[in-house]
Amino acid sequence: MKVLVTGAAGFIGRAVCEKLLDKGGVDVVAVDNLNDYYAVELKHARLATLQSRPGFAFHRLDIADWDGLEALFAAERVDYVIHLAAQAGVRYSIQNPHAYAQSNLTGFTNVLEACRRHPVKHLVYASSSSVYGQNAKVPFSEDDRVDAPVSFYAATKKANEVMAHSYAHLYALPTTGLRFFTVYGPWGRPDMAPWLFTEAILKGETIKVFNHGKMQRDFTYIDDIVEGVLRVMEHVPQGADGQPPYRLFNIGNHNPVELMKFIRATEAACGREAVKDYYPMQDGDVPVTYADTARLRAAVGFSPDTPLADGMQRFVAWYRGYHGV
Ligand code: NAD
């Protein structure tokens, strides 16, 4: 089996590649442009954990480069595509919309078109809990109507879902969109709260607590995300009853946690108290995220459930080892 993973030097991409290689009998074609949205050394360090493994091949490529992507698909003839490359981050999207248009709209168009021309069994791609917006009822269900994104990032992720629908409808391309909910764990992202808070607490610096600590997030541990992604990959939508082979799943912990509780879990894992500064809610943010995971569980017999305290212990242990602190 050959699987193409885009965004392979990213947080979730690295972990997905590692698990695919662990399964055995899988060749992984890994793609990333190694952009500098955050520390490039971290992306190189993630890749270094994979590069010596048999069956792993890395290609530095921008998915917005149609000719490059097309040539790679033509050469590799992959069975499955797990598309994780994107410009991520809610707040950054408000200042830098063009980066999102380039990777998340042009890049996504290229991935869809390459999958059509070089037929793959299944395209699995990252969407986001942010598509639910501000006023969604909780828990968030895939059946809810979502058409009011409050950040440009969320708008591009919602756009990906409707773009995938058109390819499933027009060309019977099997696609599954995964709405990830705040993912954390070893090799995580330096722009996200688990990393930022851990870094500040260990250095004795002040942490920024937005919305006065009142927001809630459905923090989801990386190993659970990877398990979900791989089970979904092999569960190809069939498009029965005249419907296109198009599907969406929430992948979240189904257990939203208040920010102050999250900070206490981080303090416990670090063995120190945080110095806190309180701020109002930021543009583009939503007060709560909360995944209904019934559809995922019914389809693949699994949904995330790692307790936050355990996951944060593992993240902080990794963080200390990585930085030698
Ligand atoms: P990440 O930024 O760590 O990984 C994305 C990777 O894609 C990076 O290594 C980046 O260099 C690469 N990339 C970006 N644009 C590219 C392009 N044009 N061509 C080639 N490579 C490109 O982010 P992540 O947390 O691993 O997220 C993976 C996916 O999941 C993204 O689509 C993201 O939007 C989505 N997502 C993540 C979370 C989360 O909490 N981490 C939540 C919801 C959705």
Side-chain angles (χ1 to χ4, degrees):
M1 183 200 294
K2 206 184 250 193
V3 183
L4 188 144
V5 180
T6 71
F11 167 34
I12 301 173
R14 187 212 74 87
V16 165
C17 290
E18 183 174 62
K19 191 72 183 272
L20 282 168
L21 296 167
D22 288 348
K23 275 164 76 86
V26 181
D27 286 331
V28 175
V29 180
V31 169
D32 203 293
N33 68 353
L34 301 177
N35 69 42
D36 63 359
Y37 167 60
Y38 59 76
V40 182
E41 314 87 75
L42 177 62
K43 296 183 182 182
H44 283 291
R46 291 186 186 127
L47 283 178
T49 68
L50 304 167
Q51 257 153 346
S52 62
R53 309 249 339 232
F56 182 80
F58 177 68
H59 301 263
R60 184 171 186 169
L61 181 71
D62 194 312
I63 56 163
D65 165 9
W66 166 247
D67 290 340
L69 193 70
E70 221 279 322
L72 184 68
F73 270 75
E76 294 289 353
R77 309 230 151 253
V78 298
D79 299 299
Y80 297 93
V81 174
I82 300 179
H83 172 55
L84 302 168
Q87 181 56 56
V90 166
R91 290 173 200 150
Y92 188 74
S93 74
I94 296 165
Q95 309 303 331
N96 303 279
H98 292 104
Y100 292 74
Q102 173 90 348
S103 291
N104 303 6
L105 300 179
T106 301
F108 192 74
T109 306
N110 290 345
V111 170
L112 284 171
E113 185 59 12
C115 289
R116 176 180 82 81
R117 292 196 192 187
H118 306 281
V120 299
K121 293 193 176 90
H122 191 187
L123 165 64
V124 178
Y125 63 93
S127 182
S128 163
S129 61
S130 63
V131 301
Y132 287 105
Q134 260 174 354
N135 301 315
K137 66 171 178 56
V138 290
F140 300 164
S141 157
E142 298 90 341
D143 292 326
D144 296 344
R145 184 171 170 172
V146 289
D147 55 8
V150 296
S151 70
F152 193 65
Y153 168 68
T156 64
K157 289 293 178 180
K158 183 63 212 168
N160 288 172
E161 295 177 355
V162 292
M163 291 158 84
H165 188 277
S166 74
Y167 267 66
H169 172 78
L170 290 169
Y171 310 115
L173 173 69
T175 69
T176 301
L178 300 178
R179 292 174 175 169
F180 296 144
F181 285 65
T182 316
V183 190
Y184 73 100
W187 297 104
R189 281 205 350 237
D191 60 327
M192 293 181 65
W195 181 298
L196 291 169
F197 288 0
T198 299
E199 181 174 54
I201 292 171
L202 292 179
K203 287 184 177 164
E205 292 171 354
T206 306
I207 64 171
K208 287 185 176 173
V209 182
F210 291 115
N211 201 18
H212 304 283
K214 289 204 185 66
M215 55 192 173
Q216 295 178 36
R217 288 289 175 273
D218 203 354
F219 290 98
T220 310
Y221 191 63
I222 182 68
D223 291 4
D224 290 338
I225 292 285
V226 172
E227 182 70 30
V229 169
L230 296 199
R231 287 189 188 220
V232 164
M233 181 186 85
E234 299 205 51
H235 190 79
V236 183
Q238 300 302 324
D241 305 324
Q243 295 298 307
Y246 167 84
R247 204 173 43 193
L248 289 171
F249 288 120
N250 289 334
I251 303 199
N253 224 39
H254 186 60
N255 185 15
V257 169
E258 277 226 344
L259 192 53
M260 294 315 292
K261 191 173 166 198
F262 170 71
I263 292 169
R264 284 196 292 279
T266 312
E267 290 172 331
C270 292
R272 291 187 205 169
E273 261 191 47
V275 188
K276 305 170 197 79
D277 244 353
Y278 294 88
Y279 292 83
M281 194 152 101
Q282 300 290 289
D283 278 351
D285 265 358
V286 298
V288 58
T289 65
Y290 181 178
D292 180 337
T293 51
R295 187 188 284 187
L296 177 72
R297 181 165 280 283
V300 300
F302 169 81
S303 60
D305 62 359
T306 301
L308 181 68
D310 296 355
M312 280 308 292
Q313 291 284 351
R314 284 181 240 162
F315 171 68
V316 172
W318 170 84
Y319 181 96
R320 284 180 177 280
Y322 180 70
H323 290 95
V325 291

